[in-house]
Amino acid sequence: MKYRAAAPAIDGIRITMESALTARDRVGVQDFVLLENYTSEAAFIENLKKRFKENLIYTYIGSVLVSVNPYKELEIYSKQHMERYRGVSFYEAFGNAKTLRNDNSSRFGKYMDVQFDYKGAPVGGHILNYLLEKSRVVHQNHGERNFHIFYQLLEGGEEDLLRRLGLDKNAQNYQYLVKGQCARVSSINDKSDWKNVRKAMSVINFNDDDVEELLSIVASVLHLGNVQFASDEQGNVQVTTENQIKYLARLLSVDSTLLRESLIHKKIIAKGEEFCINYCNEKLQQLFIELTLKSEQDEYESEGIAWEPVQYFNNKIICDLVEEKFKGIISILDEECLRPGDATDMTFLEKLEETVKNHPHFVTHKLGDQKTRKCLGRDEFRLLHYAGEVNYSVVGFLDKNNDLLFRNLKEVMCDSGNPIVHQCFDRSELTDKKRPETAATQFKNSLAKLMEILMSKEPSYVRCIKPNDAKQAARFDEVLIRHQVKYLGLIENVRVRRAGFAYRRKYEFFLQRYKSLCPETWPNWDGRAMDGVAVLVKSLGYKPEEYKMGRTKIFIRFPKTLFATEDALEVRKQSIATFLQSRWRGYHQRQKFLHMKHSAIKIQSWWRGTVDRRKAAKRKWAVSVIRSVLDKSWPVPPPSLREASELLREMCMKNMVWKYCRRISPEWKQQLEQKVVASEIFKDKKDNYPQSVPRLFINTRLGISVSSLSDNLFVIHVKCEDNKQKLFVILESEIVISTTPIRTSRRLLFTNGSLYNRTCLH
């Protein structure tokens, strides 16, 4: 189970939720609270599957975000953002390990406080660690590895560094690294990760001495795992690997003789931390339900809506079974560890049976019925957790609870010359005669502090679900997901949320989305949003038991009410779209007409200007030509040059005429010649002659066009000056049709030896 306290802009993200409701049959609902069959595990899983197939990996339960990792861009996104936190590689190297389900599983409790500036960028923070999984150092299940740092050091460490630490690159040579039989994993690049760790150490201001001292401790753990023991003839324990003791003494900067003595007098036993982990999950679930109910109750009270008590499974009864003073499991375990006499794991179990035998969530082989005894060993007890039944073997419980460093070993470590080791062991503990707390009590106290911190916050929860164990994209393992949904208590959370109102939204948002469904609120509502929503829901026919009006929000009890409203909006959208399209087309046509009109006016204006400029230029040219012809002026010469001046004047006039004549085109020359002849004939002899002078002569008054339809078939169209028309069809040089068309399409067909006249006559 993963809880992440954060402050995402949930309201902003979820405002768009309604837009997807119309496609709910295909993509599911974005909030599980809106599931119709909200108590059905199958319906819950089916909704997850629909959203997973559509790559919609986020789904809400009220304010809780459920995320199904697609094993694609999500991991890249997370890595990009986590790199903001300095030293993240360092923390992962020393606190994370490969498990059966995750290559980078965090093996310690972690509470992270991050401070952000006004832009939303992280500017500082601190991390509190809880309960490192110490047992993993000495034992790993099959398919799992020790903490990353050991493999990274061997794979990526420089030769000189490894030589100083007395190590080699082969992880198979170290007992603490081979228990899981997967020292090398294809999906993990230890060499590259080592480089990141070294950079992270620099970032968090580790100098060379700090790094050397830290890695000396890491190496000493590997050497400690290779220390071997045997008994001598008197049955006393002896160390048989002196070379490892020498390395340990040098790396830890302690006396080798004292170290050897401290190792052979006591034995430390460590086994797997599941009972405590499940106890932690119970506490977090208890906190989660309490905060959820508190959040709901606070919202109801702030909105002025009566709070309706919610019936739910309160796992406080299980938490009390574990942690209650004097008669809880942890207290009984501590009592067995501390009492004088022969205490064993089985006497602990017997004490449990005697003390909590009547508890409804506790059963043993002795207390169970015949069916229970078949699946429960004599050394086991069963707890009914909120997520289901779990069997626990008591073998090793007492040793694990007494997992302490004994006095003689502490004394050796207190005298260590390694500053880090020396700092980890407080010499004052050697004079403290109070017995150290047991492992279970330490766990309980640490968890209580965490609960205290979380209760002081307003956390937002992210529930992370893995779709499969193979880390494959687009693969949805229903069995695995069903298991996670169950132990995360998600359906119970949905049930708590659905005990009241399934949907609530600010009046402004609700009115803005659905105002088109009511004539009185469409297209705009001028009054208060609350009043507009009241008018809207009345128009929609909401029944009193279906909704409540709060101070700033509307609360809708049933998802079906919201779905009906959303479906009505979808229908309304079609009519609105049709209306807007018609209005847009009309507007577009008007705009197009106005644009064309404007363009036409501009073209007309430009053309008129062009024509006027051409006429003006032509008139200017004509004036200059006429002036040059009519201008007979000539400078008066001196008497002695009069004859020469006259010759020059005559030559100049001839040159001007010659130049003018050269510029005249043949057609214009013909016009002038005809005008001269006409002038000689009609000038002063015809009254309307002056009016005809500007008009140009034309070769013919008839407009004739000839079309050839074949080698021997022609059509002649004659248009006279008075707009009278004549149409002739000539075949073999003879006129076969002669007509006067009123309107002519001028299409004649000749097929199969026949002539078809398509001239339109009216």
Side-chain angles (χ1 to χ4, degrees):
M1 183 187 300
K2 296 185 180 179
Y3 293 78
R4 297 178 186 174
I10 290 178
D11 286 341
I13 297 173
R14 295 180 63 218
I15 292 306
T16 58
M17 178 184 72
E18 294 88 346
S19 61
L21 288 180
T22 52
R24 58 187 179 272
D25 291 338
R26 178 174 58 87
V27 303
V29 294
Q30 189 178 356
D31 194 328
F32 285 110
V33 177
L34 297 179
L35 279 177
E36 288 285 359
N37 193 3
Y38 64 93
T39 60
S40 168
E41 183 181 84
F44 193 99
I45 300 297
E46 182 62 24
N47 194 69
L48 272 181
K49 182 188 291 185
K50 286 180 179 179
R51 299 185 66 74
F52 184 77
K53 287 182 178 179
E54 296 292 328
N55 201 31
L56 301 171
I57 62 174
Y58 300 114
T59 312
Y60 288 91
I61 303 177
S63 60
V64 179
L65 181 61
V66 180
S67 168
V68 182
N69 187 351
Y71 290 118
K72 292 191 290 187
E73 60 276 347
L74 182 63
E75 292 181 349
I76 299 173
Y77 174 86
S78 298
K79 181 170 288 188
Q80 289 172 343
H81 283 261
M82 284 304 294
E83 285 300 327
R84 293 171 177 256
Y85 305 110
R86 299 297 187 181
V88 66
S89 298
F90 178 82
Y91 285 110
E92 290 187 349
F94 285 85
N96 290 24
K98 178 197 178 308
T99 64
L100 290 175
R101 294 182 174 178
N102 191 340
D103 283 350
N104 191 32
S105 176
S106 175
R107 309 314 298 165
F108 62 101
K110 178 171 53 183
Y111 175 80
M112 179 185 294
D113 253 340
V114 183
Q115 285 80 44
F116 299 87
D117 64 13
Y118 71 98
K119 296 180 180 178
V123 295
H126 67 277
I127 296 175
L128 299 178
N129 297 327
Y130 296 89
L131 307 165
L132 180 69
E133 186 186 29
K134 296 183 292 184
S135 61
R136 183 168 294 272
V137 175
V138 298
H139 177 77
Q140 308 91 44
N141 294 326
H142 182 77
E144 298 192 352
R145 299 205 312 175
N146 210 320
F147 293 99
H148 293 323
I149 186 61
F150 298 112
Y151 307 94
Q152 294 169 355
L153 173 59
L154 297 184
E155 188 70 26
E158 300 82 0
E159 293 293 339
D160 289 344
L161 173 62
L162 295 179
R163 189 179 303 109
R164 292 195 302 273
L165 299 177
L167 302 175
D168 61 66
K169 287 186 172 293
N170 189 357
Q172 300 297 326
N173 293 335
Y174 302 96
Q175 293 298 313
Y176 283 171
L177 303 184
V178 297
K179 299 291 181 66
Q181 299 181 8
C182 60
R184 285 182 176 271
V185 182
S186 60
S187 57
I188 298 177
N189 190 334
D190 292 311
K191 189 172 184 178
S192 174
D193 291 341
W194 168 254
K195 294 179 181 179
N196 293 332
V197 171
R198 293 292 281 117
K199 290 179 182 177
M201 289 180 178
S202 299
V203 168
I204 57 180
N205 297 324
F206 272 44
N207 58 37
D208 291 342
D209 290 339
D210 294 332
V211 173
E212 191 80 12
E213 292 160 2
L214 179 62
L215 296 181
S216 294
I217 298 174
V218 174
S220 69
V221 173
L222 296 180
H223 286 297
L224 184 61
N226 283 1
V227 173
Q228 297 180 12
F229 303 89
S231 58
D232 58 15
E233 295 177 355
Q234 288 77 33
N236 298 319
V237 177
Q238 297 294 327
V239 175
T240 61
T241 50
E242 276 300 319
N243 195 43
Q244 302 296 336
I245 295 296
K246 292 179 181 179
Y247 274 123
L248 279 168
R250 180 171 63 81
L251 293 171
L252 296 175
S253 299
V254 297
D255 184 88
S256 60
T257 303
L258 294 177
L259 178 61
R260 184 188 305 104
E261 289 297 316
S262 67
L263 289 175
I264 62 178
H265 281 85
K266 296 293 181 182
K267 180 181 180 182
I268 299 174
I269 298 176
K271 295 184 180 291
E273 290 203 312
E274 185 181 4
F275 175 76
C276 288
I277 292 175
N278 288 340
Y279 164 50
C280 177
N281 288 341
E282 286 288 354
K283 291 292 290 182
L284 290 173
Q285 175 69 8
Q286 182 186 28
L287 175 73
F288 176 62
I289 293 295
E290 287 180 1
L291 290 178
T292 298
L293 287 173
K294 184 177 183 298
S295 173
E296 284 284 278
Q297 190 170 2
D298 289 347
E299 183 173 24
Y300 278 49
E301 290 178 357
S302 67
E303 289 292 326
I305 294 178
W307 171 251
E308 302 172 3
V310 177
Q311 299 298 322
Y312 67 98
F313 173 66
N314 189 346
N315 67 335
K316 182 178 184 299
I317 187 173
I318 302 175
C319 295
D320 289 344
L321 171 62
V322 175
E323 67 185 9
E324 192 174 6
K325 287 185 177 181
F326 307 119
K327 55 183 179 180
I329 294 176
I330 291 179
S331 293
I332 296 171
L333 178 60
D334 285 352
E335 183 180 339
E336 281 298 294
C337 290
L338 300 176
R339 76 174 177 85
D342 228 359
T344 65
D345 294 327
M346 292 308 296
T347 62
F348 162 62
L349 182 59
E350 292 169 2
K351 189 67 176 290
L352 281 179
E353 291 173 334
E354 178 185 340
T355 308
V356 296
K357 60 184 178 182
N358 295 323
H359 199 286
H361 292 268
F362 175 86
V363 68
T364 65
H365 184 277
K366 178 182 177 180
L367 300 175
D369 55 25
Q370 186 175 0
K371 181 180 179 181
T372 302
R373 291 176 180 176
K374 290 181 179 180
C375 55
L376 196 61
R378 294 182 182 275
D379 61 351
E380 293 180 328
F381 66 90
R382 174 182 296 170
L383 294 184
L384 179 57
H385 291 281
Y386 77 92
E389 298 175 345
V390 179
N391 295 352
Y392 300 97
S393 172
V394 297
V395 177
F397 257 58
L398 265 64
D399 286 332
K400 176 184 176 183
N401 201 37
N402 279 323
D403 186 9
L404 306 172
L405 286 176
F406 290 91
R407 185 182 182 89
N408 55 349
L409 187 55
K410 282 187 176 181
E411 289 174 347
V412 175
M413 295 298 108
C414 284
D415 292 331
S416 171
N418 185 311
I420 298 178
V421 176
H422 185 78
Q423 186 177 356
C424 290
F425 292 88
D426 187 359
R427 183 169 289 277
S428 63
E429 293 182 4
L430 298 177
T431 59
D432 188 359
K433 296 184 179 181
K434 181 181 177 182
R435 182 181 175 89
E437 292 179 336
T438 62
T441 299
Q442 290 180 41
F443 190 99
K444 183 177 74 170
N445 294 340
S446 179
L447 192 57
K449 292 179 181 178
L450 175 62
M451 295 298 108
E452 185 179 346
I453 292 175
L454 292 178
M455 284 296 291
S456 67
K457 309 294 182 182
E458 295 182 1
S460 298
Y461 293 95
V462 179
R463 296 299 186 87
C464 301
I465 295 178
K466 293 195 303 181
N468 60 79
D469 281 333
K471 306 176 184 68
Q472 295 179 356
R475 179 180 167 189
F476 191 91
D477 187 337
E478 284 197 33
V479 175
L480 176 63
I481 291 177
R482 184 175 291 106
H483 171 69
Q484 295 175 84
V485 167
K486 186 175 182 180
Y487 79 67
L488 288 173
L490 298 183
I491 295 179
E492 177 68 14
N493 184 243
V494 174
R495 204 182 67 76
V496 170
R497 291 285 309 214
R498 276 293 296 271
F501 293 86
Y503 172 89
R504 68 285 310 263
R505 189 66 84 236
K506 291 278 189 182
Y507 289 130
E508 292 79 8
F509 295 128
F510 190 85
L511 181 62
Q512 179 63 29
R513 181 163 184 80
Y514 300 112
K515 64 181 181 179
S516 63
L517 297 178
C518 175
E520 297 178 60
T521 57
W522 175 256
N524 293 302
W525 174 260
D526 296 330
R528 294 190 310 163
M530 181 179 181
D531 297 335
V533 172
V535 171
L536 175 59
V537 297
K538 182 179 179 180
S539 174
L540 293 173
Y542 279 20
K543 297 178 181 178
E545 65 272 15
E546 292 181 320
Y547 75 101
K548 291 287 185 184
M549 301 286 285
R551 292 189 176 96
T552 65
K553 297 179 182 178
I554 179 173
F555 289 70
I556 297 178
R557 188 177 298 276
F558 308 115
K560 63 181 181 181
T561 305
L562 177 64
F563 294 162
T565 305
E566 192 63 32
D567 292 342
L569 177 63
E570 191 65 19
V571 174
R572 176 64 174 155
K573 282 180 180 178
Q574 302 300 323
S575 61
I576 293 176
T578 302
F579 172 77
L580 292 177
Q581 287 173 355
S582 64
R583 292 291 298 270
W584 170 250
R585 281 194 294 266
Y587 171 79
H588 182 68
Q589 291 295 333
R590 286 192 299 274
Q591 291 297 111
K592 185 178 180 181
F593 169 76
L594 293 175
H595 179 71
M596 292 177 65
K597 181 179 179 182
H598 177 70
S599 300
I601 292 173
K602 289 189 70 174
I603 293 173
Q604 291 171 352
S605 175
W606 173 83
W607 177 246
R608 283 194 295 268
T610 301
V611 171
D612 290 343
R613 284 190 295 273
R614 288 178 180 177
K615 288 182 178 179
K618 190 173 182 180
R619 284 196 295 269
K620 183 178 180 181
W621 172 82
V623 168
S624 65
V625 170
I626 294 173
R627 182 180 292 119
S628 65
V629 172
L630 298 179
D631 187 8
K632 305 293 184 178
S633 62
W634 188 257
V636 179
S640 60
L641 296 177
R642 286 179 181 174
E643 184 177 359
S645 174
E646 189 63 24
L647 291 174
L648 289 173
R649 187 181 71 81
E650 185 177 353
M651 291 175 60
C652 179
M653 293 300 294
K654 289 182 178 180
N655 182 61
M656 290 174 61
V657 172
W658 178 77
K659 286 174 63 177
Y660 176 77
C661 291
R662 286 195 60 183
R663 289 199 299 266
I664 296 175
S665 65
E667 294 80 6
W668 187 245
K669 181 180 179 181
Q670 185 180 9
Q671 284 286 336
L672 292 177
E673 290 175 345
Q674 292 175 350
K675 287 293 182 181
V676 170
V677 173
S679 177
E680 293 175 350
I681 297 174
F682 299 111
K683 187 177 181 180
D684 300 327
K685 298 179 180 178
K686 188 177 180 182
D687 293 339
N688 62 348
Y689 172 72
Q691 289 80 16
S692 66
V693 171
R695 296 174 60 184
L696 299 179
F697 291 107
I698 57 176
N699 293 331
T700 177
R701 296 292 181 181
L702 299 178
I704 300 176
S705 62
V706 181
S707 300
S708 174
L709 300 182
S710 67
D711 292 340
N712 55 358
L713 179 63
F714 300 91
V715 177
I716 300 176
H717 183 205
V718 180
K719 185 176 181 180
C720 302
E721 189 177 17
D722 56 1
N723 288 329
K724 293 182 179 179
Q725 301 182 47
K726 213 58 166 167
L727 190 67
F728 302 94
V729 178
I730 300 175
L731 179 63
E732 297 290 351
S733 302
E734 294 184 4
I735 297 176
V736 295
I737 296 177
S738 175
T739 182
T740 302
I742 298 174
R743 184 160 55 90
T744 306
S745 66
R746 299 177 65 185
R747 288 179 292 182
L748 294 172
L749 298 178
F750 184 73
T751 59
N752 298 327
S754 302
L755 177 66
Y756 295 86
N757 182 2
R758 287 193 178 178
T759 301
C760 300
L761 302 176
H762 302 281

